Amino acid sequence: MSGQGRSGGRPTLEEVAVRAGVGRGTVSRVINGAAKVSEHTRAVVEAAVAELGYVPNRAARALAANRTDAVALVIPEPEDRFFAEPYFSDVVRGVGATLAETDVQLVLTLAGGERERRRLAQYLSGHRVDGVLLVSVHAGDPLPELLAELGIPAVISGRRSADETLPCVDSDNLAGAAGAVRHLLGRGRRAIATITGPLDVYGAQCRLDGYREALAAAGHPADELLIAPGDFTEEGGRRAMRELLERRPALDAVFAASDVMAAGARLELRAAGRRIPQDVALVGFDDSVVARHMDPPLTSVRQPIEEMGRTMARVLLERIAGGPADAAVVLPTELVVRESS
């Protein structure tokens, strides 16, 4: 009889209950891992499940629990930035690693434009996912508030402000940036410039704060003309580097708030005839594949991006299950020194 019920089709929950000599509800509790079941009853039900080859109907279980067994990873950035920035693929890899150990499906959504945002809002309003992971959220983004209104559990990667209300997973951006600048000071560099990320992203603001703090602590208050805004893109790094060279031609070091912007800065420094690191030392942030493959290889602040993705998924699953979830997890960074500095 193994593998099929009396009807000749898939064995049903009722047939498992009859075989085990217990009620249908008891079988359901055992299958769903409920705590309030005696060891004897659990063993009897599990034996019946094995004998009949019963496979739980996940769709029916999800429906009964008002669950979809799916979570969305939402990245409110344009498609070209998603594919150009290794950060995002590392987050996806980390999230996927945690979800691979569960029955939960991952829905990846890019929402870089207004039209995509409206479509996403409609999708989420239909409660088609049990929870949402938000990555790269800018200040003023309405998505977190929409999720709160809909009652959909959410976890954010990178706080929107110091007063973040959502559970969040972040790296220590301020300490990482400060460590990069202390390294450059230790190498005897004094005219240290920085290319910031978009300052409506709290993590980018923290990296700028770390730059300022390290300089001030060393008795070298930041020169505002050595600070240029970027946007985490290679072209943004090039533009900012051109601006910095025009303003302060004698600069001898650059801390870029991402490896991708550091790659753009490197192209511009080369075009201006500056040698790295002899004339200008260069440090990035992320320690992505970009850093390792640059010429010369790039000194960079490593943030544990895959681990951030894994942690985000774990915290979200805890929230969906109704258990206590960490309110904020801040992971340490580490400076990886290579030839560029």
Side-chain angles (χ1 to χ4, degrees):
M1 193 169 167
S2 177
Q4 62 178 30
R6 290 174 192 153
S7 61
R10 280 174 51 158
T12 66
L13 196 71
E14 287 77 7
E15 285 164 350
V16 173
V18 169
R19 172 60 68 97
V22 299
R24 186 180 187 283
T26 302
V27 175
S28 182
R29 285 197 298 278
V30 171
I31 288 168
N32 288 300
K36 294 178 181 176
V37 181
S38 74
E39 283 307 311
H40 171 72
T41 302
R42 191 182 304 280
V44 169
V45 171
E46 286 174 351
V49 165
E51 284 172 32
L52 292 173
Y54 173 73
V55 179
N57 183 331
R58 283 185 55 244
R61 277 170 57 196
L63 192 63
N66 198 23
R67 293 262 297 272
T68 64
D69 278 345
V71 298
L73 173 60
V74 177
I75 299 175
E77 295 287 353
E79 192 175 291
D80 56 352
R81 186 166 171 233
F82 174 80
F83 288 107
E85 177 61 76
Y87 174 88
F88 296 120
S89 57
D90 287 346
V91 169
V92 173
R93 194 176 293 118
V95 169
T98 291
L99 296 184
E101 299 165 11
T102 72
D103 287 331
V104 176
Q105 295 294 316
L106 179 63
V107 179
L108 175 62
T109 306
L110 306 183
E114 196 51 46
R115 187 170 165 223
E116 289 100 326
R117 297 294 183 91
R118 283 198 301 272
R119 204 163 56 213
L120 174 62
Q122 285 180 329
Y123 178 78
L124 295 174
S125 298
H127 290 271
R128 292 188 176 94
V129 292
D130 296 322
V132 172
L133 299 162
L134 275 171
V135 179
S136 187
V137 179
H138 297 249
D141 192 312
L143 268 176
E145 276 61 46
L146 171 68
L147 293 168
E149 281 172 31
L150 295 171
I152 298 174
V155 176
I156 197 165
S157 167
R159 293 163 287 182
R160 290 168 294 166
S161 73
D163 305 316
E164 181 57 67
T165 53
L166 283 176
C168 63
V169 177
D170 210 347
S171 61
D172 197 337
N173 290 291
L174 190 144
V181 174
R182 282 196 301 272
H183 164 74
L184 290 167
L185 288 165
R187 289 286 195 269
R189 309 292 170 148
R190 290 297 176 265
I192 302 171
T194 189
I195 300 172
T196 77
L199 296 179
D200 64 341
V201 173
Y202 183 64
Q205 182 63 62
C206 288
R207 290 174 199 179
L208 177 57
D209 292 344
Y211 163 85
R212 290 183 190 279
E213 284 188 18
L215 288 174
H220 304 288
D223 173 354
E224 295 304 314
L225 292 179
L226 282 171
I227 300 171
D231 57 3
F232 287 145
T233 70
E234 185 175 338
E235 185 50 43
R238 289 196 77 150
R239 276 197 308 271
M241 194 67 248
R242 275 198 300 273
E243 202 176 303
L244 288 166
L245 286 169
E246 284 167 16
R247 292 191 209 151
R248 288 285 187 263
L251 62 84
D252 60 8
V254 178
F255 165 56
S258 80
D259 292 345
V260 172
M261 291 195 299
R266 169 191 163 276
L267 293 173
E268 211 55 42
L269 287 166
R270 284 270 170 91
R274 307 295 171 94
R275 297 168 302 162
I276 302 170
Q278 295 91 329
D279 303 323
V280 179
L282 185 60
V283 176
F285 202 109
D286 288 336
D287 192 37
S288 64
V289 65
V290 171
R292 296 188 288 281
H293 291 164
M294 269 174 63
D295 177 27
L298 180 69
T299 295
S300 185
V301 178
R302 175 180 294 162
Q303 54 175 342
I305 302 170
E306 267 195 58
E307 188 184 340
M308 288 167 71
R310 284 195 298 273
T311 305
M312 284 178 73
R314 174 183 60 75
V315 172
L316 184 62
L317 291 173
E318 286 168 4
R319 288 205 70 210
I320 290 168
D326 295 320
V329 180
V330 179
L331 300 172
T333 57
E334 173 195 356
L335 185 69
V336 180
V337 179
R338 298 190 180 92
E339 287 89 331
S340 71
S341 64

